[in-house]
Amino acid sequence: MKPTRVTNTIRSLRFAHGEMTQAELAERVGVTRQTVIAIEQGRYSPSLEMAFQIARVFGVPLDDVFQYPETEE
Amino acid sequence: MKPTRVTNTIRSLRFAHGEMTQAELAERVGVTRQTVIAIEQGRYSPSLEMAFQIARVFGVPLDDVFQYPETEE
DNA sequence: CGGTGATGTAAAGAAAAGTAGACATGGTGT
DNA sequence: ACACCATGTCTACTTTTCTTTACATCACCG
């Protein structure tokens, strides 16, 4: 399982939105808590669909949640 | 295989960028031509990582390439 | 006509993402 | 001490994404 290059600010956004728990975010997005943990820790990059859903929960554009660094293979 | 809710403007962007072929886009993004075809046709939504790479090839923000409709479960 | 390049389809399989359940830990509150 | 809750880990499993190969079609050009 290669770690993804995509980083995110989910943890900050959760706290900025009323101490939202991982479980609550998972439920709102429609995935399991396991998945939220893995994404938040950057263990793998989510599907584009899930990325959009997460951004929507926080009411921010996708780029505010996920960042992609310069291409350095 | 449920079709994704995510739509995209890859085809237009390819033509807007000097008649770029699917094969060339695939090579630039680092995936196969098959994958480009499937994404372009919306048969499934790409990984967030690939979405970022495609946007980068065209030099536009991710939202210019991919759109996510209102949540209608 | 024959050849080439761009696009599309299909199937098998590998790889990554996502699920489900069990269990561990640290904090907080009673 | 005990219960509770949020977080995290692990394993095994299913689903989706992506690859590889092969072949079909269409337009264009010689």
Side-chain angles (χ1 to χ4, degrees):
Chain A
M1 332 151 178
K2 68 164 178 184
T4 182
R5 264 163 272 163
V6 177
T7 61
N8 70 83
T9 56
I10 296 181
R11 187 167 276 268
S12 317
L13 285 164
R14 279 199 300 113
F15 289 120
H17 282 252
E19 305 286 330
M20 185 187 300
T21 67
Q22 292 174 335
E24 189 182 340
L25 175 58
E27 194 209 348
R28 292 239 256 155
V29 171
V31 296
T32 63
R33 192 169 61 85
Q34 304 294 337
T35 303
V36 168
I37 292 174
I39 303 300
E40 190 168 305
Q41 293 178 344
R43 298 216 266 108
Y44 52 70
S45 75
S47 71
L48 183 57
E49 206 150 355
M50 187 192 299
F52 270 119
Q53 285 170 345
I54 291 175
R56 184 156 295 174
V57 165
F58 293 128
V60 297
L62 199 143
D63 316 65
D64 277 18
V65 186
F66 299 97
Q67 296 79 39
Y68 192 65
E70 300 306 314
T71 323
E72 29 106 356
E73 183 69 17
Chain B
M1 327 151 181
K2 69 165 176 184
T4 183
R5 263 163 272 162
V6 177
T7 62
N8 68 84
T9 56
I10 295 181
R11 186 166 276 267
S12 319
L13 285 165
R14 278 199 298 114
F15 289 121
H17 282 252
E19 305 285 330
M20 186 186 301
T21 66
Q22 292 175 336
E24 189 183 340
L25 174 58
E27 195 208 346
R28 293 240 256 154
V29 171
V31 296
T32 63
R33 191 171 62 85
Q34 301 298 332
T35 302
V36 168
I37 292 174
I39 303 300
E40 189 167 305
Q41 292 177 344
R43 297 215 267 108
Y44 52 70
S45 77
S47 70
L48 182 57
E49 207 150 353
M50 187 192 299
F52 270 119
Q53 285 169 347
I54 292 174
R56 183 156 297 175
V57 165
F58 293 128
V60 297
L62 198 145
D63 315 66
D64 277 18
V65 186
F66 299 97
Q67 296 79 40
Y68 193 66
E70 298 307 314
T71 324
E72 25 111 352
E73 186 78 10

